[in-house]
Amino acid sequence: MTARTWYYNLALSGGVAVAYGASMAFSLSLTREGAGIATIWLAGGILAAGFLLLPRRWGLATATACFTVQFAYNLLVGNPLAAAATFPALTIGEAAAAAWLARKVCGETMRLTSMSRVARLLLLVVAPATALTAILAADVFTLYGRSFNTVLSGWFYGHALGMAIMLPASLMVVRPDMVRDFRRTPFEQICLYGLVAAMSFVSVLPIRFPMPLLLFPLMALLAFRLGPRGAAVGAMIMAVVLSSLVVSLPSPPGGATWSLAERTRSFQFLIAINFFTSLATAMVIADQKRMKRLWARRTRIARAAQARAMAAGQAKTEFLATMSHEIRTPMSSIVGFTEVLLKREDLPEPARRQLALIDRAGASLLTVVNDILDFSKVEAGEVELSPAPINPRNVAQDAMAIVAEAARRKGLDLQLGFIGPVEAPVMLDDLRVRQILLNLLSNAIKFTDHGRVRLDLQAIEEPDGVLLRFRVTDTGPGVPSEQAARLFKRFSQGDSSVSRTHGGTGLGLAICRGLTELMGGKIGVESKPGAGATFWFEIPARRAAGPVREAASPEAAAPLAARVLLVDDHPMNRELGATVLSLLGCEVILAENGEEAVAAAQTSGCDLILMDVHMPRMDGLEATRAIRALGGVCAAVPIIAMSADVMPEMEAACLRAGMNAAVGKPIQIQALHDVLTRWLGEPGGVAAA
């Protein structure tokens, strides 16, 4: 036991003993003046609370001290030795019985935070303990010539009322949580308690008005301002005042002739009703305040969790942006120079085959990076659809053409089928639809070793548009039912064992689901093990009013005769960019940083600027703003961001700085040709619709 605990127990036991002695003297003095009837016995509740709050050894010591005090008092007032010892034994036994029952009924903590707990304490603890002691006391009192019934009723009413007030009041006084929401200034507490004492005194005056009724609103005010503890202390003050006056009143209010027992019962009833109504009111108010505090705490926790989630999301975004930049920068050289070398005619066949393997490996790595970034965008709700008039048939044919080479290498038969008006133009984001199709078709080819892969497109006319249903069917191993349910979850794969033969991030189908739901559709799978699988998705589309947007064919396009300013701080990226632009027929002007870019833009007369974003001295955003501020031709020249940071935040920052579009690294000849064709064909740098 620590010194602090020892001093606490000493102070508590001393306080209990002193309070017991004072309340005992008060009650016994009333008993002497009240023809042997104890108007109210407060000491039992105080000692019972001491038994509950103190360790067993300290409780026994306190009980011994209380017995000694009461025994000595009885001897001083002239009681016989046997009676002087019997009555302390009865009252202390009553308190011990109440404490034992309280632990059995209400548990060790004794947290009186609701009226149901208080009711259990009163009905299952106070009532049985005081009733049993009343019976024993009535038997003893008959030895001294007292009436059994009078003693029984007087003892039970006085002791039960006193313990009903003092036991919960004492437990509430030592609980700091009972006053947490009812802290008031000492001045206000003194005024309220003094008002209760004064009104209790006035209520017994022989006035022809039911003054005791005024105690009810006063006790309600006490409950609102001071809570359960205030209600208990107020009832205790009322009990002391009324008990003191009941034995000295010459006659009750109204002039009626009441016996002492009748007056005692009436005031006991008044005290009990006031106590329990005010305590019930205080408990309800305390519960409301506790619920508000809990709600406020949960709100703070939710806000803190939201802040942490936002911080985590921001950290994730920054991490993905950094990793994207760091991975794409070297990949730009790997993929770009591989494409350039594959276009050479003087390569020996073994070298061409090895370069093709490098190209496939780079494409696979790029797919992994793109999957992670795409999933991050879908999960964060940052994907924005760009609907335009498209021909669904053309989208399906384009997707099949892209995967045709992969299917040919595996010896698979590609089939394409159409049902319904698939050539009618509709409003859709063709890039996102094609992304879903390519993911499903690539998976089907990857997991099918022999047989066929078939794509079916069905257009279903509806009153408000067209429902497009795509089905990709393969003759692969199929998907077990227990795995099908988790295929569309993030980082989930049909085969996650160490012996799996196919790689992947497990994000492709999750991205497909996110994009499909974003377009208002749904996606699913139908499969039986060993019988292939059918992945399907359907999306609603509005009918298009305008013409279908046709994509330019790079193979058919003439070489680009344009002066392009290429700005990049990385020497390898500048060499690669210059090589690719030369292959496309462009005259290239090089700049290593933003300052050189601003100077070159003033003097070179370039037709288009490819601007890296992350550069020392002056970054691409600042350089773009400086070029736009030059005015004239520089204010209208198309500026295309070319960066390994392809996060939505960076793309938005590029547009705000004055750039026209953004293209991500690694540089791919086809993608770069498309961008140049689009913007060089639009003088003034007006973005294409």
Side-chain angles (χ1 to χ4, degrees):
M1 179 185 298
T2 63
R4 182 176 181 180
T5 303
W6 190 89
Y7 283 117
Y8 172 81
N9 290 333
L10 179 63
L12 183 58
S13 59
V16 169
V18 171
Y20 182 90
S23 60
M24 175 269 300
F26 168 76
S27 297
L28 290 180
S29 65
L30 293 181
T31 300
R32 291 286 177 262
E33 298 178 13
I37 301 175
T39 306
I40 189 167
W41 184 260
L42 303 173
I46 296 173
L47 185 56
F51 283 135
L52 290 171
L53 296 171
L54 288 167
R56 180 171 299 179
R57 288 187 300 172
W58 286 90
L60 290 175
T62 304
T64 302
C66 293
F67 179 89
T68 303
V69 170
Q70 188 174 355
F71 177 71
Y73 183 89
N74 283 335
L75 290 178
L76 287 175
V77 297
N79 282 334
L81 182 62
T86 301
F87 296 140
L90 286 173
T91 55
I92 292 175
E94 179 182 77
W100 181 81
L101 286 173
R103 285 196 174 95
K104 296 295 182 181
V105 172
C106 303
E108 294 290 335
T109 57
M110 293 299 300
R111 291 178 60 84
L112 303 179
T113 55
S114 67
M115 277 306 296
S116 62
R117 296 185 178 185
V118 175
R120 287 203 304 270
L121 181 68
L122 299 181
L123 297 177
L124 303 178
V125 175
V126 174
T130 53
L132 177 61
T133 313
I135 295 173
L136 295 176
D139 286 334
V140 173
F141 264 94
T142 56
L143 300 177
Y144 299 96
R146 305 291 176 86
S147 168
F148 179 88
N149 292 334
T150 301
V151 174
L152 179 67
S153 60
W155 185 288
F156 177 72
Y157 284 124
H159 284 239
L161 179 62
M163 187 173 290
I165 294 175
M166 288 306 301
L167 179 55
S170 301
L171 294 175
M172 292 175 185
V173 165
V174 299
R175 299 276 187 189
D177 55 335
M178 299 303 294
V179 296
R180 179 184 303 170
D181 299 314
F182 299 94
R183 290 188 174 91
R184 299 291 182 262
T185 62
F187 177 77
E188 182 178 356
Q189 295 183 50
I190 292 172
C191 290
L192 289 173
Y193 291 139
L195 193 58
V196 171
M199 188 56 65
S200 300
F201 178 81
V202 171
S203 65
V204 300
L205 296 179
I207 302 174
R208 301 184 66 86
F209 181 81
M211 297 298 293
L213 294 178
L214 298 179
L215 287 170
F216 289 96
L218 181 58
M219 291 296 290
L221 175 63
L222 206 67
F224 273 101
R225 298 298 298 171
L226 302 181
R229 180 190 287 185
V233 174
M236 188 166 52
I237 294 173
M238 186 190 308
V240 171
V241 174
L242 292 179
S243 300
S244 302
L245 296 175
V246 69
V247 296
S248 59
L249 283 175
S251 61
T257 303
W258 286 357
S259 66
L260 179 60
E262 289 173 336
R263 282 188 289 167
T264 300
R265 301 294 178 272
S266 65
F267 284 112
Q268 286 174 340
F269 182 77
L270 177 65
I271 295 169
I273 292 297
N274 271 281
F275 172 59
F276 293 127
T277 53
S278 62
L279 184 61
T281 303
M283 287 290 187
V284 171
I285 298 171
D287 189 61
Q288 289 180 343
K289 290 180 178 292
R290 189 163 49 250
M291 292 301 295
K292 288 181 180 179
R293 190 170 62 251
L294 179 62
W295 178 262
R297 179 173 175 271
R298 290 184 175 178
T299 301
R300 289 195 300 271
I301 293 174
R303 287 176 178 172
Q306 183 182 21
R308 287 194 300 271
M310 292 177 65
Q314 181 64 27
K316 182 184 73 173
T317 300
E318 293 175 0
F319 171 78
L320 288 175
T322 302
M323 292 306 297
S324 169
H325 184 272
E326 295 302 318
I327 293 174
R328 286 173 178 269
T329 297
M331 280 185 62
S332 180
S333 299
I334 296 171
V335 174
F337 280 118
T338 301
E339 283 193 49
V340 171
L341 288 174
L342 285 173
K343 291 185 175 295
R344 294 183 58 168
E345 301 293 338
D346 58 344
L347 283 178
E349 190 57 33
R352 185 175 298 278
R353 184 175 65 255
Q354 292 166 357
L355 282 173
L357 293 175
I358 296 174
D359 186 54
R360 291 176 200 169
S364 298
L365 181 57
L366 184 59
T367 299
V368 171
V369 175
N370 287 337
D371 279 352
I372 295 174
L373 294 176
D374 284 344
F375 179 77
S376 176
K377 294 178 183 179
V378 171
E379 192 178 45
E382 296 175 342
V383 175
E384 295 184 3
L385 299 177
S386 301
I390 67 165
N391 186 323
R393 182 188 183 101
N394 292 346
V395 174
Q397 290 175 335
D398 291 345
M400 291 292 279
I402 293 173
V403 300
E405 178 59 23
R408 185 191 63 78
R409 287 197 299 264
K410 295 189 70 173
L412 300 178
D413 181 23
L414 277 184
Q415 299 178 1
L416 180 60
F418 301 102
I419 303 175
V422 296
E423 296 184 357
V426 296
M427 296 296 295
L428 273 181
D429 188 333
D430 58 328
L431 295 179
R432 297 303 179 183
V433 176
R434 189 177 293 108
Q435 183 177 358
I436 299 172
L437 281 175
L438 289 176
N439 199 301
L440 298 183
L441 288 169
S442 298
N443 278 349
I445 294 172
K446 180 169 66 174
F447 289 99
T448 304
D449 294 327
H450 53 80
R452 62 179 175 80
V453 173
R454 180 178 178 85
L455 170 61
D456 290 293
L457 168 59
Q458 181 180 7
I460 304 173
E461 294 280 357
E462 292 186 341
D464 54 348
V466 178
L467 180 66
L468 298 178
R469 180 174 296 160
F470 297 86
R471 295 172 63 88
V472 177
T473 306
D474 62 62
T475 57
V479 181
S481 57
E482 64 272 12
Q483 296 177 358
R486 58 185 178 89
L487 276 180
F488 294 95
K489 297 180 180 179
R490 58 180 180 177
F491 305 113
S492 177
Q493 294 172 319
D495 179 11
S496 57
S497 65
V498 296
S499 61
R500 62 193 178 106
T501 57
H502 303 286
T505 60
L507 291 175
L509 292 178
I511 295 170
C512 291
R513 186 187 67 175
L515 293 176
T516 302
E517 293 175 351
L518 184 64
M519 290 185 283
K522 54 186 178 180
I523 190 170
V525 59
E526 301 167 0
S527 179
K528 292 182 180 179
T534 298
F535 285 83
W536 58 268
F537 70 98
E538 55 185 34
I539 48 177
R542 294 181 292 107
R543 296 181 180 87
V548 175
R549 183 176 66 192
E550 298 291 344
S553 174
E555 291 78 11
L560 300 171
R563 290 171 59 83
V564 177
L565 173 60
L566 175 62
V567 188
D568 200 304
D569 65 314
H570 200 289
M572 193 178 299
N573 288 341
R574 289 198 303 274
E575 181 180 350
L576 173 61
T579 303
V580 172
L581 289 171
S582 298
L583 288 176
L584 296 177
C586 298
E587 180 183 348
V588 184
I589 306 166
L590 297 177
E592 296 185 9
N593 53 58
E595 293 178 353
E596 292 185 9
V598 176
Q602 289 180 290
T603 60
S604 64
C606 57
D607 300 311
L608 183 141
I609 301 174
L610 289 175
M611 180 78 71
D612 189 18
V613 176
H614 298 282
M615 293 184 296
R617 298 176 63 178
M618 178 184 286
D619 60 34
L621 301 180
E622 187 178 354
T624 299
R625 286 189 287 266
I627 292 172
R628 295 303 187 204
L630 295 174
V633 177
C634 293
V637 62
I639 302 178
I640 311 300
M642 188 172 62
S643 174
D645 187 350
V646 295
M647 298 301 291
E649 296 81 2
M650 181 53 65
E651 294 183 14
C654 292
L655 295 178
R656 288 195 301 270
M659 298 185 185
N660 299 87
V663 60
K665 295 178 182 177
I667 299 174
Q668 294 175 300
I669 298 176
Q670 181 71 50
L672 186 58
H673 187 284
D674 291 341
V675 170
L676 295 178
T677 301
R678 177 184 179 189
W679 292 100
L680 288 173
E682 298 175 17
V686 181

